[in-house]
């Protein structure tokens, strides 16, 4: 059947089709614009929150020359949160404070003297620099970022694949090697609404992280068993939930990194970072709530003196069934148990592998929890155990007794008046070649 394209009916149908097509495109463009504007609004909201938080770190402000538009950031020799938290936090604050110096339009980051770093330090640096860049250029101003790489090739790869170079430099400087690098990154969405019928970023982050860890362990023909996978899922769910509840903001980042280029220097790093209230602040707000305050004040009374309230509160919060949210839910305080048990399970497995493969003790697992002006360090020296009620206790002393004060070497108070505005957890464990089938 031949269609007469000049007929009145055909022309009317064509006009109707073009009308609805145009309306559909307008609706689609409007939805895209709304989504794009929402992303931009969320992006700047998060960047402003990060800059504001990092400015509150405390300590001395770095000197900024008023007659120069270029500011050089010198990364120190030791730039690790585990060994030199003050160095990392002061560098982070130095970057954030540049937002107050409108004449600065060029930041040069010099890593040449840096010999030690870790994923947590580079995450904080990248967050601060990216936030500064976003806010400096918000209204069309020009802001330049340049830098020098460290000499160590492995350190260069971290910067280019997940660090400050990846976050702020042009794509030609990025490293995307899927064979040697195992990367994992999930960031919260402050505007996301909770739903019982669909996944959110927190659920996705916990669900997808276990396969990521198994992917890393595949380099040594190992994998997590069902029990450890369940522990990790439970822990991540609680810690990310706490990050949102305690801070009042959804400002968390979950990061994983493994560089497998050199099989003789194989280790996995994990960082969970959230901006907001510190662990001490969440307990301090509940001084009038007996179910929270009773055991907390009892523990402080036993040991206050050599260690301050913030240090002791951090140790107290690690005990099973201890939480600043006990008044809201009686069985809160399980996440720390899962985290500590998981870490010590990794410690025991790595120690066994080290003995089998004649690896030095320097490769033993490490973990830290940094919150405010106190940091809790783990290296397998002190282990948890159950008390007479079957509850896990982790007292950081040779007797593992909460009646004895914790070892101050493992719960240092930060110097120079600096404090992290939130909570950061960092885990590093070595992976050595072995005939191990499962962890």
């Amino acid at each position: 059947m031949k269609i007469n394209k000049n007929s009145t009916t055909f022309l009317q149908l064509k006009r109707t089709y073009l009308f609805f097509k145009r309306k559909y495109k307008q609706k689609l463009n409007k939805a895209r614009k709304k989504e794009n504007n929402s992303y931009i609004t969320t992006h700047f909201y998060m960047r402003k929150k990060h800059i504001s938080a990092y400015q509150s770190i405390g300590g001395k402000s770095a000197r900024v020359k008023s007659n120069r538009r270029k500011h050089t950031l010198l990364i120190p020799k030791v730039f690790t949160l585990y060994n030199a938290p003050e160095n990392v936090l002061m560098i982070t604050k130095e970057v954030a404070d540049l937002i107050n110096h409108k004449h600065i339009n060029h930041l040069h980051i010099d890593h040449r003297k840096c010999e030690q770093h870790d994923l947590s330090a580079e995450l904080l640096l990248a967050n601060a620099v990216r936030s500064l860049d976003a806010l400096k250029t918000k209204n069309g101003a020009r802001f330049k970022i340049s830098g020098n790489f460290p000499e160590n090739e492995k350190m260069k790869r971290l910067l280019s694949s997940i660090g400050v170079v990846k976050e702020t430099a042009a794509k030609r400087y990025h490293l995307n090697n899927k064979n040697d690098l195992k990367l994992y990154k999930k960031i919260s969405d402050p505007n996301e609404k909770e739903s019982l019928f669909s996944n959110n970023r927190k659920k996705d982050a916990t669900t997808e992280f276990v396969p990521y860890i198994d992917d890393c362990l595949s380099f040594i023909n190992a994998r997590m068993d069902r029990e450890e996978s369940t522990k990790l899922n439970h822990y991540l769910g609680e810690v990310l939930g706490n990050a949102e509840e305690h801070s009042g903001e959804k400002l968390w980042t979950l990061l994983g990194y493994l560089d497998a280029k050199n099989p003789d220097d194989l280790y996995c790093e994990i960082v969970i970072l959230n901006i907001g209230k510190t662990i001490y602040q969440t307990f301090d707000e509940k001084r009038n709530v007996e179910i929270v305050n009773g055991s907390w004040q009892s523990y402080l009374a036993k040991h206050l003196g050599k260690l301050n309230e913030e240090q002791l509160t951090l140790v107290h919060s690690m005990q099973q069934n201890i939480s600043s949210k006990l008044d809201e839910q009686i069985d809160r305080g399980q996440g720390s148990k899962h985290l500590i048990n998981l870490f010590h399970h990794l410690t025991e497995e790595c120690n066994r592998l080290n003995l089998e493969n004649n690896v030095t003790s320097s490769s033993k697992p490490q973990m830290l929890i940094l919150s405010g002006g106190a940091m809790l360090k783990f290296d397998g020296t002190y282990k948890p155990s159950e008390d007479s009620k079957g509850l896990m206790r982790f007292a950081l002393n040779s007797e593992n007794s909460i009646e004895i004060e914790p070892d101050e070497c493992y719960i240092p108070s930060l110097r120079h008046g600096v404090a992290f505005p939130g909570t950061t957890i960092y885990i590093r464990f070595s992976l050595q070649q072995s005939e191990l089938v499962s962890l």
Side-chain angles (χ1 to χ4, degrees):
M1 179 178 173
K2 190 174 181 180
I3 298 175
N4 184 1
K5 294 185 179 181
N6 294 319
S7 68
T8 304
T9 303
F10 177 81
L11 292 174
Q12 286 178 342
L13 286 172
K14 184 177 180 180
R15 281 194 295 269
T16 302
Y17 166 76
L18 291 175
F19 172 80
F20 282 109
K21 183 179 179 181
R22 186 165 61 251
K23 284 292 185 181
Y24 173 75
K25 281 187 175 181
Q26 289 174 350
K27 186 176 181 180
L28 188 63
N29 288 335
K30 187 176 180 180
R32 285 174 177 171
K33 186 176 181 180
K34 184 178 180 181
E35 184 180 347
N36 197 35
N37 288 340
S38 176
Y39 168 78
I40 293 171
T41 301
T42 300
H43 175 73
F44 283 116
Y45 171 81
M46 293 179 69
R47 295 303 158 198
K48 286 177 70 174
K49 284 288 186 179
H50 276 275
I51 284 291
S52 177
Y54 299 150
Q55 284 184 294
S56 71
I57 283 173
K60 291 183 179 180
S61 296
R63 185 178 177 184
V64 178
K65 295 181 179 179
S66 59
N67 60 345
R68 293 188 182 180
R69 294 185 178 276
K70 176 181 177 181
H71 182 78
T72 299
L73 189 70
L74 298 174
I75 306 301
K77 182 178 180 179
V78 180
F79 190 59
T80 72
L81 211 54
Y82 193 89
N83 295 318
E86 295 88 355
N87 287 354
V88 177
L89 294 182
M90 287 190 290
I91 285 289
T92 305
K93 176 179 168 57
E94 183 175 343
V95 173
D97 282 345
L98 292 178
I99 196 66
N100 296 328
H101 299 275
K102 295 182 179 180
H103 68 286
I104 298 294
N105 62 9
H106 182 185
L107 175 63
H108 184 81
I109 307 168
D110 191 346
H111 271 84
R112 286 178 294 184
K113 292 185 178 179
C114 186
E115 296 180 4
Q116 296 179 38
H117 76 165
D118 61 31
L119 184 63
S120 56
E122 295 296 351
L123 171 60
L124 281 170
L125 175 62
N127 274 351
V129 174
R130 188 180 178 190
S131 298
L132 178 68
D133 182 39
L135 298 179
K136 282 274 192 180
T137 59
K138 182 180 179 181
N139 296 318
R142 299 182 68 179
F143 185 70
K144 181 180 179 180
I145 300 171
S146 59
N148 301 107
F149 279 111
E151 292 185 7
N152 184 283
E153 288 296 326
K154 188 164 188 173
M155 293 171 69
K156 288 181 185 178
R157 290 196 295 276
L158 189 150
L159 293 177
S160 300
S161 60
I162 205 167
V164 68
V165 176
K166 175 73 173 183
E167 290 294 324
T168 62
K171 286 187 178 181
R172 65 180 180 272
Y173 298 108
H174 297 178
L175 180 61
N176 297 302
N177 188 332
K178 294 182 179 179
N179 294 325
D180 293 334
L181 296 174
K182 297 297 180 184
L183 312 176
Y184 187 87
K185 186 173 185 179
K186 293 290 181 181
I187 302 175
S188 62
D189 179 359
N191 295 326
E192 185 178 54
K193 295 180 180 179
E194 293 287 342
S195 172
L196 295 174
F197 306 104
S198 62
N199 282 356
N200 55 28
R201 294 203 182 189
K202 183 177 68 176
K203 290 178 183 176
D204 290 341
T206 55
T207 302
E208 297 170 15
F209 193 68
V210 171
Y212 167 76
I213 292 295
D214 277 338
D215 200 19
C216 293
L217 293 174
S218 67
F219 282 101
I220 57 169
N221 299 317
R223 61 183 176 84
M224 298 181 73
D225 62 27
R226 184 176 297 177
E227 181 182 354
E228 295 305 322
S229 296
T230 301
K231 282 183 184 180
L232 185 55
N233 254 319
H234 283 325
Y235 171 69
L236 282 175
E238 178 156 323
V239 75
L240 295 181
N242 285 346
E244 295 177 358
E245 291 176 30
H246 293 312
S247 67
E249 303 278 0
K250 295 180 181 179
L251 290 170
W252 52 261
T253 302
L254 173 60
L255 212 59
Y257 181 78
L258 171 69
D259 182 350
K261 189 170 184 178
N262 181 2
D264 294 326
D265 186 24
L266 200 62
Y267 55 85
C268 182
E269 294 178 275
I270 302 165
V271 181
I272 305 168
L273 177 149
N274 83 275
I275 299 298
K277 297 174 186 176
T278 66
I279 291 174
Y280 176 75
Q281 287 171 332
T282 63
F283 276 88
D284 192 46
E285 291 176 344
K286 299 292 182 72
R287 286 185 182 270
N288 296 324
V289 181
E290 177 58 28
I291 194 172
V292 175
N293 192 54
S295 60
W296 176 41
Q297 290 301 318
S298 174
Y299 184 72
L300 293 182
K302 291 172 184 174
H303 308 303
L304 199 59
K306 197 172 183 180
L307 301 176
N308 62 38
E309 279 198 6
E310 195 165 26
Q311 292 169 287
L312 292 171
T313 301
L314 192 50
V315 177
H316 177 67
S317 70
M318 292 298 105
Q319 315 312 311
Q320 187 179 1
N321 276 19
I322 295 295
S323 171
S324 62
K325 296 283 185 180
L326 281 179
D327 56 325
E328 300 173 20
Q329 189 175 334
I330 196 65
D331 61 347
R332 290 294 292 263
Q334 306 302 314
S336 299
K337 175 181 183 292
H338 292 308
L339 172 65
I340 293 170
N341 284 343
L342 176 63
F343 174 75
H344 285 284
H345 177 81
L346 290 170
T347 300
E348 291 167 3
E349 290 298 331
C350 288
N351 286 341
R352 184 175 68 80
L353 291 172
N354 289 343
L355 289 172
E356 290 179 0
N357 298 302
N358 196 28
V359 178
T360 60
S361 60
S362 62
S363 63
K364 62 185 179 181
Q366 294 178 336
M367 182 169 76
L368 69 82
I369 301 174
L370 172 64
S371 187
M375 184 167 75
L376 191 61
K377 302 173 79 171
F378 302 73
D379 64 6
T381 298
Y382 296 113
K383 298 184 180 352
S385 61
E386 292 186 354
D387 64 10
S388 58
K389 297 179 181 179
L391 297 175
M392 186 211 73
R393 292 292 173 251
F394 185 64
L396 278 173
N397 54 56
S398 57
E399 301 296 324
N400 197 35
S401 170
I402 59 174
E403 302 299 322
I404 303 172
E405 71 177 24
D407 186 342
E408 62 179 330
C409 294
Y410 287 85
I411 182 71
S413 179
L414 271 56
R415 300 167 296 145
H416 310 312
V418 299
F420 181 72
T423 300
T424 295
I425 299 167
Y426 170 72
I427 303 174
R428 167 178 163 150
F429 57 93
S430 175
L431 300 174
Q432 302 297 332
Q433 294 296 337
S434 170
E435 295 302 318
L436 182 68
V437 175
S438 65
L439 277 175

